[in-house]
């Protein structure tokens, strides 16, 4: 019998990878699940080292990384590149790729094809898509292809315009009831977890209690099974206005700005680089190099030019 290790497939966790089934067990034990967004290999590595359970390569990258005013412009090609970078940097957390606007809305076939790209080309462990209603058949199709799906309801940024802007959802009894129905439908369609964004605490509580799959809140209070924040928000890197549910754990924008300004000052004032930052040669090799390039002739020509400049200034 061969002793060669089996290559992990879409449903086979890599060694050390958090099993997706562990999330339901965390919910059952009432142990909060930690998710954060990341967009490159260094942030993926740091999130891994910090001990998070899930990393979402969010289409929020369109705003935080690519400079757009909304998440809508994010493309599949951009999201593939970002997801591939994160999976290179992280090992234990499950990496969830956000399916960008236009990648799943057209048809089940398109949704499956793009989800497969995230797994095959970028190494994602799962994908996330927004909404219920028409998205339910997309979830069923993608799960049927063997790819885990995370749902997302409440404030769904890709359709923020239709929702009346970036504001809380489910604040009326009728709308709240529809969110509960959507959550149950997404679970029935096969989602392994569900993001609840910007919904009132009573609604998030009701959904969390009714579902057997974990809920991940962002602006949904402490009643959900886990929490997610955007990397640039929690680290103080994002220059735009942050939502009220954001807690800033650092002010790295100031730290980075001060560091770059100090570097610029050192360069302009001749304080960098110092000798410790440079590479030298042995005297023998230096002399041989100078001889090889005609160093003496170069010095003679330089002195001749300088004498010519002095003569011109005197005239």
């Amino acid at each position: 019998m061969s002793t060669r290790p089996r290559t992990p497939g879409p449903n086979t966790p890599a060694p050390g990878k958090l099993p997706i089934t562990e999330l339901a067990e965390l919910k059952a034990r009432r142990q909060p699940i930690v998710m954060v967004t990341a967009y490159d290999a260094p942030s993926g590595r740091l999130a891994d080292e910090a001990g998070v359970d899930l990393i979402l390569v969010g289409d929020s990258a369109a705003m935080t990384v690519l400079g757009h005013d909304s998440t809508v412009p994010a493309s599949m090609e951009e999201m593939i590149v970002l997801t591939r970078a994160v999976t290179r940097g992280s090992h234990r957390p499950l990496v969830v790729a956000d399916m960008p606007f236009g990648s799943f809305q057209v048809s089940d076939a398109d949704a499956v094809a793009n989800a497969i790209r995230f797994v095959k080309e970028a190494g994602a462990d799962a994908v996330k898509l927004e909404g219920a209603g028409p998205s339910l058949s997309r979830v069923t199709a993608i799960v049927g292809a063997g790819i885990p799906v995370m749902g997302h309801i409440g404030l769904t940024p890709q359709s923020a315009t239709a929702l009346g802007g970036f504001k809380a959802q489910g604040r009326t009894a009728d709308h709240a009831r529809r969110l509960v129905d959507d959550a149950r439908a997404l679970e029935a369609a096969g989602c392994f977890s569900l993001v609840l964004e910007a919904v009132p605490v009573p609604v998030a509580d009701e959904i969390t209690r009714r579902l057997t799959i974990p809920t991940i809140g962002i602006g949904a209070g402490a009643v959900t099974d886990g929490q997610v924040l955007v990397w640039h928000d929690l680290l103080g890197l994002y220059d735009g206005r942050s939502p009220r549910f954001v807690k800033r754990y650092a002010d790295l924008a100031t730290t980075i700005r001060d560091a770059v300004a100090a570097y610029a000052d050192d360069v302009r004032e001749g304080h960098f680089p110092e000798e410790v930052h440079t590479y030298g040669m042995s005297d023998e090799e230096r002399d041989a190099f100078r001889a090889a390039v005609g160093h003496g002739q170069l010095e003679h020509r330089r002195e001749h030019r300088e004498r010519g400049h002095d003569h011109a200034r005197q005239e």
Side-chain angles (χ1 to χ4, degrees), residues 109-274:
D110 277 359
V112 171
N114 286 320
I116 288 173
R117 289 194 64 195
F118 274 122
V119 173
K120 291 192 67 170
E121 298 178 32
D125 300 299
V127 297
K128 181 177 77 67
L129 53 83
E130 294 184 5
S135 296
L136 294 174
S137 68
R138 312 292 191 256
V139 172
T140 301
I142 295 170
V143 172
I147 300 171
V149 176
M150 175 181 284
H152 182 165
I153 60 173
L155 172 57
T156 46
Q158 292 178 9
S159 54
T161 301
L163 295 173
F166 287 86
K167 61 183 183 180
Q169 301 297 306
R171 304 185 79 169
T172 67
D174 184 59
H175 193 185
R177 180 186 55 78
R178 289 201 303 270
L179 286 177
V180 173
D181 291 342
D182 286 345
R184 297 179 68 182
L186 285 165
E187 179 180 43
C191 285
F192 73 90
S193 63
L194 182 64
V195 171
L196 303 177
E197 181 168 357
V199 301
V201 170
V203 182
D205 185 40
E206 184 68 23
I207 292 172
T208 300
R209 288 191 299 106
R210 283 177 177 257
L211 300 188
T212 60
I213 61 173
T215 58
I216 309 293
I218 178 167
V223 296
T224 54
D225 298 307
Q227 299 292 326
V228 59
L229 278 179
V230 171
W231 186 261
H232 290 63
D233 286 340
L234 77 91
L235 295 178
L237 287 168
Y238 186 52
D239 197 34
R241 180 183 176 186
S242 294
R244 64 179 295 176
F245 52 72
V246 169
K247 181 174 180 179
R248 182 169 290 183
Y249 287 84
D251 182 17
L252 296 191
T254 298
T255 301
I256 293 170
R257 189 182 303 114
D258 290 348
V260 175
Y263 159 70
D265 288 344
D266 273 2
V267 170
R268 290 172 180 140
E269 295 169 7
H271 298 156
F272 177 83
E274 300 172 76

Side-chain angles (χ1 to χ4, degrees), residues 18 23 26 31-37 47 50-56 92-94 216 225-229 234:
L18 178 72
L23 299 178
L26 292 175
Q31 180 176 331
I33 298 165
V34 181
M35 182 162 79
V36 68
T37 69
V52 306
D53 302 307
L54 295 160
I55 296 176
L56 171 65
R92 177 187 176 273
L94 290 164
I216 309 293
D225 298 307
Q227 299 292 326
V228 59
L229 278 179
L234 77 91

Side-chain angles (χ1 to χ4, degrees), residues 66-117:
L66 303 177
H68 297 291
D69 293 329
S70 75
T71 65
V72 170
S75 69
M76 270 297 298
E77 299 308 319
E78 290 165 340
M79 293 301 299
I80 289 285
V81 169
L82 298 177
T83 303
R84 186 185 295 129
V86 171
T87 59
R88 289 193 188 110
S90 63
H91 301 286
R92 177 187 176 273
L94 290 164
V95 176
V96 182
D98 220 347
M99 298 194 70
F101 182 75
S103 67
F104 64 92
Q105 285 87 352
V106 176
S107 68
D108 291 354
D110 277 359
V112 171
N114 286 320
I116 288 173
R117 289 194 64 195

Side-chain angles (χ1 to χ4, degrees), residues 275-290:
E275 186 175 354
V276 69
H277 305 120
T278 61
Y279 300 94
M281 301 173 70
S282 68
D283 291 346
E284 180 181 358
E285 293 298 333
R286 182 197 60 203
D287 292 344
F289 166 68
R290 288 178 171 175

